[in-house]
PDB file of all heavy atoms in Angstrom:
ATOM      1  N   ARG A   1      -3.552 -13.205   8.480  1.00 96.00           N
ATOM      2  CA  ARG A   1      -3.995 -13.978   9.647  1.00 96.00           C
ATOM      3  C   ARG A   1      -2.893 -14.935  10.102  1.00 96.00           C
ATOM      4  O   ARG A   1      -2.579 -15.036  11.288  1.00 96.00           O
ATOM      5  CB  ARG A   1      -5.276 -14.745   9.328  1.00 96.00           C
ATOM      6  CG  ARG A   1      -5.844 -15.515  10.509  1.00 96.00           C
ATOM      7  CD  ARG A   1      -7.183 -16.199  10.220  1.00 96.00           C
ATOM      8  NE  ARG A   1      -7.185 -16.964   8.985  1.00 96.00           N
ATOM      9  CZ  ARG A   1      -7.874 -16.631   7.894  1.00 96.00           C
ATOM     10  NH1 ARG A   1      -8.627 -15.561   7.888  1.00 96.00           N
ATOM     11  NH2 ARG A   1      -7.830 -17.389   6.814  1.00 96.00           N
ATOM     12  N   ALA A   2      -2.268 -15.594   9.138  1.00 95.00           N
ATOM     13  CA  ALA A   2      -1.189 -16.533   9.475  1.00 95.00           C
ATOM     14  C   ALA A   2      -0.001 -15.800  10.098  1.00 95.00           C
ATOM     15  O   ALA A   2       0.557 -16.261  11.101  1.00 95.00           O
ATOM     16  CB  ALA A   2      -0.751 -17.291   8.226  1.00 95.00           C
ATOM     17  N   LEU A   3       0.367 -14.654   9.527  1.00 96.00           N
ATOM     18  CA  LEU A   3       1.484 -13.889  10.078  1.00 96.00           C
ATOM     19  C   LEU A   3       1.186 -13.429  11.496  1.00 96.00           C
ATOM     20  O   LEU A   3       2.042 -13.544  12.379  1.00 96.00           O
ATOM     21  CB  LEU A   3       1.800 -12.677   9.195  1.00 96.00           C
ATOM     22  CG  LEU A   3       2.906 -11.748   9.710  1.00 96.00           C
ATOM     23  CD1 LEU A   3       4.227 -12.495   9.861  1.00 96.00           C
ATOM     24  CD2 LEU A   3       3.058 -10.546   8.792  1.00 96.00           C
ATOM     25  N   LEU A   4      -0.011 -12.955  11.736  1.00 96.00           N
ATOM     26  CA  LEU A   4      -0.362 -12.504  13.088  1.00 96.00           C
ATOM     27  C   LEU A   4      -0.330 -13.661  14.074  1.00 96.00           C
ATOM     28  O   LEU A   4       0.211 -13.524  15.177  1.00 96.00           O
ATOM     29  CB  LEU A   4      -1.729 -11.820  13.110  1.00 96.00           C
ATOM     30  CG  LEU A   4      -2.156 -11.261  14.468  1.00 96.00           C
ATOM     31  CD1 LEU A   4      -1.178 -10.196  14.960  1.00 96.00           C
ATOM     32  CD2 LEU A   4      -3.557 -10.689  14.392  1.00 96.00           C
ATOM     33  N   ASP A   5      -0.876 -14.792  13.686  1.00 96.00           N
ATOM     34  CA  ASP A   5      -0.862 -15.964  14.581  1.00 96.00           C
ATOM     35  C   ASP A   5       0.569 -16.354  14.949  1.00 96.00           C
ATOM     36  O   ASP A   5       0.872 -16.606  16.115  1.00 96.00           O
ATOM     37  CB  ASP A   5      -1.573 -17.153  13.922  1.00 96.00           C
ATOM     38  CG  ASP A   5      -3.075 -16.963  13.806  1.00 96.00           C
ATOM     39  OD1 ASP A   5      -3.623 -16.046  14.467  1.00 96.00           O
ATOM     40  OD2 ASP A   5      -3.710 -17.715  13.045  1.00 96.00           O
ATOM     41  N   VAL A   6       1.437 -16.387  13.958  1.00 95.00           N
ATOM     42  CA  VAL A   6       2.828 -16.764  14.210  1.00 95.00           C
ATOM     43  C   VAL A   6       3.535 -15.672  15.015  1.00 95.00           C
ATOM     44  O   VAL A   6       4.275 -15.963  15.952  1.00 95.00           O
ATOM     45  CB  VAL A   6       3.571 -17.044  12.883  1.00 95.00           C
ATOM     46  CG1 VAL A   6       5.052 -17.234  13.118  1.00 95.00           C
ATOM     47  CG2 VAL A   6       2.980 -18.273  12.208  1.00 95.00           C
ATOM     48  N   ALA A   7       3.295 -14.419  14.685  1.00 95.00           N
ATOM     49  CA  ALA A   7       3.951 -13.316  15.399  1.00 95.00           C
ATOM     50  C   ALA A   7       3.535 -13.279  16.859  1.00 95.00           C
ATOM     51  O   ALA A   7       4.350 -12.980  17.736  1.00 95.00           O
ATOM     52  CB  ALA A   7       3.635 -11.982  14.719  1.00 95.00           C
ATOM     53  N   ILE A   8       2.283 -13.604  17.147  1.00 94.00           N
ATOM     54  CA  ILE A   8       1.809 -13.609  18.535  1.00 94.00           C
ATOM     55  C   ILE A   8       2.508 -14.711  19.327  1.00 94.00           C
ATOM     56  O   ILE A   8       2.909 -14.500  20.471  1.00 94.00           O
ATOM     57  CB  ILE A   8       0.276 -13.771  18.590  1.00 94.00           C
ATOM     58  CG1 ILE A   8      -0.393 -12.479  18.110  1.00 94.00           C
ATOM     59  CG2 ILE A   8      -0.192 -14.124  19.997  1.00 94.00           C
ATOM     60  CD1 ILE A   8      -1.883 -12.612  17.885  1.00 94.00           C
ATOM     61  N   THR A   9       2.662 -15.880  18.718  1.00 94.00           N
ATOM     62  CA  THR A   9       3.240 -17.003  19.455  1.00 94.00           C
ATOM     63  C   THR A   9       4.767 -17.021  19.457  1.00 94.00           C
ATOM     64  O   THR A   9       5.370 -17.467  20.421  1.00 94.00           O
ATOM     65  CB  THR A   9       2.727 -18.350  18.888  1.00 94.00           C
ATOM     66  OG1 THR A   9       3.062 -18.436  17.510  1.00 94.00           O
ATOM     67  CG2 THR A   9       1.236 -18.493  19.092  1.00 94.00           C
ATOM     68  N   GLU A  10       5.394 -16.529  18.378  1.00 91.00           N
ATOM     69  CA  GLU A  10       6.840 -16.680  18.252  1.00 91.00           C
ATOM     70  C   GLU A  10       7.643 -15.396  18.394  1.00 91.00           C
ATOM     71  O   GLU A  10       8.844 -15.461  18.615  1.00 91.00           O
ATOM     72  CB  GLU A  10       7.186 -17.308  16.901  1.00 91.00           C
ATOM     73  CG  GLU A  10       6.697 -18.728  16.758  1.00 91.00           C
ATOM     74  CD  GLU A  10       7.096 -19.332  15.425  1.00 91.00           C
ATOM     75  OE1 GLU A  10       7.884 -18.720  14.677  1.00 91.00           O
ATOM     76  OE2 GLU A  10       6.603 -20.429  15.122  1.00 91.00           O
ATOM     77  N   SER A  11       7.017 -14.252  18.196  1.00 85.00           N
ATOM     78  CA  SER A  11       7.796 -13.005  18.245  1.00 85.00           C
ATOM     79  C   SER A  11       6.898 -11.869  18.725  1.00 85.00           C
ATOM     80  O   SER A  11       6.012 -12.080  19.523  1.00 85.00           O
ATOM     81  CB  SER A  11       8.415 -12.703  16.882  1.00 85.00           C
ATOM     82  OG  SER A  11       7.419 -12.433  15.920  1.00 85.00           O
ATOM     83  N   ASP A  12       7.103 -10.689  18.209  1.00 92.00           N
ATOM     84  CA  ASP A  12       6.378  -9.492  18.609  1.00 92.00           C
ATOM     85  C   ASP A  12       5.498  -9.023  17.447  1.00 92.00           C
ATOM     86  O   ASP A  12       6.028  -8.634  16.400  1.00 92.00           O
ATOM     87  CB  ASP A  12       7.395  -8.418  18.997  1.00 92.00           C
ATOM     88  CG  ASP A  12       6.765  -7.097  19.395  1.00 92.00           C
ATOM     89  OD1 ASP A  12       5.534  -7.035  19.541  1.00 92.00           O
ATOM     90  OD2 ASP A  12       7.519  -6.123  19.562  1.00 92.00           O
ATOM     91  N   PRO A  13       4.168  -9.027  17.599  1.00 95.00           N
ATOM     92  CA  PRO A  13       3.287  -8.621  16.495  1.00 95.00           C
ATOM     93  C   PRO A  13       3.487  -7.162  16.070  1.00 95.00           C
ATOM     94  O   PRO A  13       3.334  -6.836  14.899  1.00 95.00           O
ATOM     95  CB  PRO A  13       1.872  -8.846  17.021  1.00 95.00           C
ATOM     96  CG  PRO A  13       1.996  -9.360  18.393  1.00 95.00           C
ATOM     97  CD  PRO A  13       3.420  -9.505  18.749  1.00 95.00           C
ATOM     98  N   ASP A  14       3.848  -6.295  17.012  1.00 94.00           N
ATOM     99  CA  ASP A  14       4.092  -4.890  16.658  1.00 94.00           C
ATOM    100  C   ASP A  14       5.343  -4.763  15.791  1.00 94.00           C
ATOM    101  O   ASP A  14       5.368  -4.005  14.823  1.00 94.00           O
ATOM    102  CB  ASP A  14       4.243  -4.035  17.918  1.00 94.00           C
ATOM    103  CG  ASP A  14       2.946  -3.932  18.703  1.00 94.00           C
ATOM    104  OD1 ASP A  14       1.874  -3.856  18.073  1.00 94.00           O
ATOM    105  OD2 ASP A  14       3.003  -3.931  19.941  1.00 94.00           O
ATOM    106  N   ARG A  15       6.362  -5.509  16.146  1.00 94.00           N
ATOM    107  CA  ARG A  15       7.592  -5.486  15.359  1.00 94.00           C
ATOM    108  C   ARG A  15       7.328  -6.050  13.966  1.00 94.00           C
ATOM    109  O   ARG A  15       7.848  -5.533  12.973  1.00 94.00           O
ATOM    110  CB  ARG A  15       8.686  -6.293  16.061  1.00 94.00           C
ATOM    111  CG  ARG A  15       9.990  -6.275  15.312  1.00 94.00           C
ATOM    112  CD  ARG A  15      11.099  -6.945  16.064  1.00 94.00           C
ATOM    113  NE  ARG A  15      12.291  -7.000  15.218  1.00 94.00           N
ATOM    114  CZ  ARG A  15      13.255  -7.858  15.380  1.00 94.00           C
ATOM    115  NH1 ARG A  15      13.236  -8.726  16.361  1.00 94.00           N
ATOM    116  NH2 ARG A  15      14.286  -7.849  14.566  1.00 94.00           N
ATOM    117  N   ALA A  16       6.516  -7.079  13.884  1.00 95.00           N
ATOM    118  CA  ALA A  16       6.176  -7.659  12.578  1.00 95.00           C
ATOM    119  C   ALA A  16       5.476  -6.611  11.708  1.00 95.00           C
ATOM    120  O   ALA A  16       5.776  -6.496  10.510  1.00 95.00           O
ATOM    121  CB  ALA A  16       5.302  -8.894  12.749  1.00 95.00           C
ATOM    122  N   GLU A  17       4.593  -5.845  12.300  1.00 96.00           N
ATOM    123  CA  GLU A  17       3.889  -4.791  11.551  1.00 96.00           C
ATOM    124  C   GLU A  17       4.876  -3.746  11.052  1.00 96.00           C
ATOM    125  O   GLU A  17       4.831  -3.326   9.899  1.00 96.00           O
ATOM    126  CB  GLU A  17       2.820  -4.149  12.434  1.00 96.00           C
ATOM    127  CG  GLU A  17       1.945  -3.131  11.719  1.00 96.00           C
ATOM    128  CD  GLU A  17       2.473  -1.712  11.806  1.00 96.00           C
ATOM    129  OE1 GLU A  17       3.167  -1.394  12.784  1.00 96.00           O
ATOM    130  OE2 GLU A  17       2.194  -0.927  10.879  1.00 96.00           O
ATOM    131  N   GLN A  18       5.799  -3.338  11.899  1.00 95.00           N
ATOM    132  CA  GLN A  18       6.792  -2.329  11.513  1.00 95.00           C
ATOM    133  C   GLN A  18       7.693  -2.841  10.393  1.00 95.00           C
ATOM    134  O   GLN A  18       7.993  -2.106   9.438  1.00 95.00           O
ATOM    135  CB  GLN A  18       7.637  -1.934  12.726  1.00 95.00           C
ATOM    136  CG  GLN A  18       6.857  -1.195  13.784  1.00 95.00           C
ATOM    137  CD  GLN A  18       7.609  -1.094  15.103  1.00 95.00           C
ATOM    138  OE1 GLN A  18       8.687  -1.659  15.268  1.00 95.00           O
ATOM    139  NE2 GLN A  18       7.029  -0.379  16.055  1.00 95.00           N
ATOM    140  N   GLU A  19       8.106  -4.081  10.497  1.00 95.00           N
ATOM    141  CA  GLU A  19       8.997  -4.652   9.485  1.00 95.00           C
ATOM    142  C   GLU A  19       8.277  -4.845   8.152  1.00 95.00           C
ATOM    143  O   GLU A  19       8.844  -4.587   7.089  1.00 95.00           O
ATOM    144  CB  GLU A  19       9.580  -5.968   9.981  1.00 95.00           C
ATOM    145  CG  GLU A  19      10.545  -5.767  11.126  1.00 95.00           C
ATOM    146  CD  GLU A  19      10.986  -7.060  11.784  1.00 95.00           C
ATOM    147  OE1 GLU A  19      10.368  -8.114  11.528  1.00 95.00           O
ATOM    148  OE2 GLU A  19      11.968  -7.008  12.557  1.00 95.00           O
ATOM    149  N   LEU A  20       7.050  -5.301   8.212  1.00 96.00           N
ATOM    150  CA  LEU A  20       6.265  -5.466   6.992  1.00 96.00           C
ATOM    151  C   LEU A  20       6.033  -4.104   6.348  1.00 96.00           C
ATOM    152  O   LEU A  20       6.176  -3.948   5.128  1.00 96.00           O
ATOM    153  CB  LEU A  20       4.937  -6.164   7.312  1.00 96.00           C
ATOM    154  CG  LEU A  20       4.069  -6.587   6.142  1.00 96.00           C
ATOM    155  CD1 LEU A  20       4.815  -7.549   5.228  1.00 96.00           C
ATOM    156  CD2 LEU A  20       2.788  -7.236   6.652  1.00 96.00           C
ATOM    157  N   ALA A  21       5.705  -3.102   7.160  1.00 96.00           N
ATOM    158  CA  ALA A  21       5.492  -1.745   6.637  1.00 96.00           C
ATOM    159  C   ALA A  21       6.772  -1.189   6.023  1.00 96.00           C
ATOM    160  O   ALA A  21       6.729  -0.536   4.967  1.00 96.00           O
ATOM    161  CB  ALA A  21       4.997  -0.826   7.752  1.00 96.00           C
ATOM    162  N   ALA A  22       7.907  -1.450   6.650  1.00 94.00           N
ATOM    163  CA  ALA A  22       9.185  -0.970   6.112  1.00 94.00           C
ATOM    164  C   ALA A  22       9.455  -1.591   4.743  1.00 94.00           C
ATOM    165  O   ALA A  22       9.915  -0.903   3.820  1.00 94.00           O
ATOM    166  CB  ALA A  22      10.317  -1.293   7.087  1.00 94.00           C
ATOM    167  N   PHE A  23       9.156  -2.881   4.596  1.00 95.00           N
ATOM    168  CA  PHE A  23       9.383  -3.548   3.316  1.00 95.00           C
ATOM    169  C   PHE A  23       8.445  -2.985   2.251  1.00 95.00           C
ATOM    170  O   PHE A  23       8.863  -2.688   1.129  1.00 95.00           O
ATOM    171  CB  PHE A  23       9.199  -5.060   3.453  1.00 95.00           C
ATOM    172  CG  PHE A  23       9.649  -5.824   2.246  1.00 95.00           C
ATOM    173  CD1 PHE A  23      10.968  -6.226   2.127  1.00 95.00           C
ATOM    174  CD2 PHE A  23       8.772  -6.133   1.220  1.00 95.00           C
ATOM    175  CE1 PHE A  23      11.406  -6.914   0.997  1.00 95.00           C
ATOM    176  CE2 PHE A  23       9.189  -6.823   0.098  1.00 95.00           C
ATOM    177  CZ  PHE A  23      10.514  -7.218  -0.018  1.00 95.00           C
ATOM    178  N   VAL A  24       7.164  -2.814   2.604  1.00 96.00           N
ATOM    179  CA  VAL A  24       6.186  -2.257   1.653  1.00 96.00           C
ATOM    180  C   VAL A  24       6.601  -0.849   1.248  1.00 96.00           C
ATOM    181  O   VAL A  24       6.539  -0.490   0.064  1.00 96.00           O
ATOM    182  CB  VAL A  24       4.761  -2.286   2.245  1.00 96.00           C
ATOM    183  CG1 VAL A  24       3.786  -1.504   1.382  1.00 96.00           C
ATOM    184  CG2 VAL A  24       4.285  -3.724   2.406  1.00 96.00           C
ATOM    185  N   ASP A  25       7.034  -0.030   2.195  1.00 96.00           N
ATOM    186  CA  ASP A  25       7.481   1.326   1.884  1.00 96.00           C
ATOM    187  C   ASP A  25       8.705   1.309   0.965  1.00 96.00           C
ATOM    188  O   ASP A  25       8.803   2.120   0.045  1.00 96.00           O
ATOM    189  CB  ASP A  25       7.803   2.103   3.158  1.00 96.00           C
ATOM    190  CG  ASP A  25       6.559   2.497   3.939  1.00 96.00           C
ATOM    191  OD1 ASP A  25       5.456   2.480   3.346  1.00 96.00           O
ATOM    192  OD2 ASP A  25       6.692   2.817   5.136  1.00 96.00           O
ATOM    193  N   LEU A  26       9.625   0.404   1.227  1.00 95.00           N
ATOM    194  CA  LEU A  26      10.813   0.280   0.392  1.00 95.00           C
ATOM    195  C   LEU A  26      10.427  -0.029  -1.048  1.00 95.00           C
ATOM    196  O   LEU A  26      10.944   0.579  -1.990  1.00 95.00           O
ATOM    197  CB  LEU A  26      11.737  -0.810   0.941  1.00 95.00           C
ATOM    198  CG  LEU A  26      12.988  -1.097   0.124  1.00 95.00           C
ATOM    199  CD1 LEU A  26      13.965   0.059   0.254  1.00 95.00           C
ATOM    200  CD2 LEU A  26      13.627  -2.384   0.578  1.00 95.00           C
ATOM    201  N   VAL A  27       9.480  -0.940  -1.222  1.00 95.00           N
ATOM    202  CA  VAL A  27       9.036  -1.306  -2.568  1.00 95.00           C
ATOM    203  C   VAL A  27       8.329  -0.119  -3.222  1.00 95.00           C
ATOM    204  O   VAL A  27       8.567   0.189  -4.397  1.00 95.00           O
ATOM    205  CB  VAL A  27       8.125  -2.552  -2.531  1.00 95.00           C
ATOM    206  CG1 VAL A  27       7.512  -2.823  -3.899  1.00 95.00           C
ATOM    207  CG2 VAL A  27       8.908  -3.760  -2.042  1.00 95.00           C
ATOM    208  N   ARG A  28       7.480   0.570  -2.478  1.00 95.00           N
ATOM    209  CA  ARG A  28       6.754   1.728  -3.028  1.00 95.00           C
ATOM    210  C   ARG A  28       7.709   2.851  -3.443  1.00 95.00           C
ATOM    211  O   ARG A  28       7.459   3.549  -4.414  1.00 95.00           O
ATOM    212  CB  ARG A  28       5.762   2.267  -2.008  1.00 95.00           C
ATOM    213  CG  ARG A  28       4.522   1.447  -1.864  1.00 95.00           C
ATOM    214  CD  ARG A  28       3.574   2.059  -0.860  1.00 95.00           C
ATOM    215  NE  ARG A  28       2.378   1.250  -0.716  1.00 95.00           N
ATOM    216  CZ  ARG A  28       1.656   1.178   0.382  1.00 95.00           C
ATOM    217  NH1 ARG A  28       1.972   1.891   1.447  1.00 95.00           N
ATOM    218  NH2 ARG A  28       0.583   0.421   0.428  1.00 95.00           N
ATOM    219  N   GLN A  29       8.772   3.034  -2.687  1.00 96.00           N
ATOM    220  CA  GLN A  29       9.702   4.132  -2.955  1.00 96.00           C
ATOM    221  C   GLN A  29      10.693   3.805  -4.071  1.00 96.00           C
ATOM    222  O   GLN A  29      11.394   4.692  -4.538  1.00 96.00           O
ATOM    223  CB  GLN A  29      10.460   4.496  -1.681  1.00 96.00           C
ATOM    224  CG  GLN A  29       9.580   5.102  -0.624  1.00 96.00           C
ATOM    225  CD  GLN A  29      10.289   5.239   0.715  1.00 96.00           C
ATOM    226  OE1 GLN A  29      11.474   4.948   0.833  1.00 96.00           O
ATOM    227  NE2 GLN A  29       9.544   5.675   1.719  1.00 96.00           N
ATOM    228  N   ASN A  30      10.733   2.560  -4.470  1.00 95.00           N
ATOM    229  CA  ASN A  30      11.676   2.147  -5.497  1.00 95.00           C
ATOM    230  C   ASN A  30      10.896   1.604  -6.705  1.00 95.00           C
ATOM    231  O   ASN A  30      10.543   0.428  -6.746  1.00 95.00           O
ATOM    232  CB  ASN A  30      12.623   1.077  -4.944  1.00 95.00           C
ATOM    233  CG  ASN A  30      13.745   0.764  -5.889  1.00 95.00           C
ATOM    234  OD1 ASN A  30      13.595   0.846  -7.098  1.00 95.00           O
ATOM    235  ND2 ASN A  30      14.877   0.387  -5.323  1.00 95.00           N
ATOM    236  N   PRO A  31      10.642   2.463  -7.709  1.00 94.00           N
ATOM    237  CA  PRO A  31       9.834   2.036  -8.865  1.00 94.00           C
ATOM    238  C   PRO A  31      10.416   0.833  -9.604  1.00 94.00           C
ATOM    239  O   PRO A  31       9.659  -0.013 -10.086  1.00 94.00           O
ATOM    240  CB  PRO A  31       9.815   3.272  -9.773  1.00 94.00           C
ATOM    241  CG  PRO A  31      10.165   4.415  -8.890  1.00 94.00           C
ATOM    242  CD  PRO A  31      11.020   3.870  -7.792  1.00 94.00           C
TER     243      PRO A  31
END
């Protein structure tokens, strides 16, 4: 909720989702 609130006011919420997903995928792919 906090990330979405900040992303809406300060940046792009779609880009935030993509970047967060990229980080999660990176962690998942690297045991």
Side-chain angles (χ1 to χ4, degrees):
R1 183 176 49 249
L3 177 60
L4 182 61
D5 290 346
V6 172
I8 288 170
T9 58
E10 294 182 9
S11 66
D12 178 9
D14 293 323
R15 181 174 175 203
E17 185 269 332
Q18 293 167 355
E19 291 171 347
L20 188 59
F23 190 87
V24 170
D25 287 342
L26 177 71
V27 172
R28 284 181 181 151
Q29 293 170 4
N30 189 329

